[in-house]
Amino acid sequence: MTLLYFSKLRDLTGRDSEQIPMTTSLSEDGLWDLLEARHPGIGKSRNYVRIARNQVYLEANSMLEPNDEVALIPPVSGG
Amino acid sequence: MIIDIALTNSVIELQALMQVPGPDCGAFVLFTGHVRDRENDAQIEGLVYEAYVGMAEKEMQRLALEIAELHPVKRVVVRHRIGRIPVGETAIAISVTGAHRAHPMTFVQLFMDRLKQDVPIWKASTIPVSDHAPAIH
């Protein structure tokens, strides 16, 4: 799985992307557990960060797969 | 309906937005959004925008199709600039044509509202006055 970080989350993690080795599917809860283990404190942003899977916002109860591109989308401010 | 949506690193040429309405179109609506000289009560020289490029374009496309279900229009052209944008220059431009004015005008309003909620584009930093290096905050 490729994880993408933008805006404030890139500042928080110190990177714009990283590869996560995966062999099985992962729930959204599982993703946040994984993120917290790699970047302690990132879980505090869960209430305002949306997850996109392969460039589409993740629907409730969707699973993430090993080859997915997963982006953490903090509140947007375009326009 | 024709949809033409793109992000660009270049100055937005409004000529690209100036549609010639066809014989079945009685309305043409153009909105442009510009960088103002203040951000968070501080004087600035510009903004730096960043985007999740592929998804931002897909999401704008999806929004256009969704809004058109209730507000059918003939043609939609959108350009959103990313990178460094000086004060006064255009950050976003949208033009819409339609048979009558109501749907194109509502389309533009809804599109801008939804863009600011859903499209992964960010004001990444400001360009302070007399400082040409972007300050991240």
Side-chain angles (χ1 to χ4, degrees):
Chain A
M1 177 172 65
T2 302
L3 276 173
L4 302 178
Y5 302 105
F6 294 95
S7 188
K8 295 182 188 316
L9 292 174
R10 184 185 50 240
D11 300 340
L12 193 144
T13 61
R15 63 188 68 200
D16 55 18
S17 68
E18 64 182 324
Q19 295 290 328
I20 307 293
M22 278 172 63
T23 53
T24 59
S25 301
L26 189 66
S27 67
E28 188 172 349
D29 284 344
L31 172 68
W32 281 103
D33 290 344
L34 181 152
L35 286 166
E36 185 63 27
R38 298 177 83 92
H39 305 287
I42 196 171
K44 292 175 187 165
S45 61
R46 181 169 180 170
N47 286 343
Y48 64 82
V49 168
R50 297 166 76 181
I51 305 293
R53 174 188 178 219
N54 299 327
Q55 304 189 350
V56 177
Y57 284 114
L58 196 65
E59 294 184 4
N61 302 317
S62 295
M63 299 297 286
L64 303 169
E65 305 297 334
N67 291 325
D68 284 346
E69 176 179 281
V70 175
L72 275 66
I73 312 282
V76 302
S77 53
Chain B
M1 179 175 65
I2 297 169
I3 301 176
D4 174 6
I5 288 175
L7 297 178
T8 178
N9 282 294
S10 307
V11 171
I12 295 174
E13 300 291 349
L14 291 185
Q15 199 58 36
L17 282 290
M18 298 306 289
Q19 306 180 37
V20 177
D24 57 348
C25 290
F28 167 73
V29 176
L30 171 66
F31 169 79
T32 62
H34 302 256
V35 174
R36 287 178 295 132
D37 64 355
R38 298 192 74 81
E39 183 80 1
N40 297 327
D41 293 328
Q43 195 86 12
I44 62 169
E45 287 192 356
L47 290 170
V48 180
Y49 283 79
E50 67 167 291
Y52 181 10
V53 175
M55 181 172 169
E57 290 177 340
K58 283 183 185 174
E59 193 66 12
M60 286 192 282
Q61 186 92 11
R62 188 187 68 74
L63 290 181
L65 290 170
E66 183 183 313
I67 294 166
E69 288 179 12
L70 286 179
H71 303 283
V73 295
K74 298 292 183 183
R75 187 161 184 247
V76 178
V77 182
V78 180
R79 295 289 181 272
H80 197 306
R81 186 173 169 187
I82 54 177
R84 294 170 66 97
I85 310 180
V87 165
E89 294 194 8
T90 306
I92 186 167
I94 173 171
S95 69
V96 180
T97 52
H100 305 282
R101 71 180 185 281
H103 285 318
M105 292 177 80
T106 305
F107 189 106
V108 169
Q109 178 76 51
L110 292 176
F111 187 89
M112 289 304 301
D113 289 348
R114 294 291 303 278
L115 177 136
K116 288 173 177 289
Q117 294 171 14
D118 294 333
V119 178
I121 299 172
W122 298 270
K123 294 180 179 76
S125 57
T126 59
I127 305 169
V129 171
S130 301
D131 178 359
H132 294 282
I136 306 296
H137 50 107

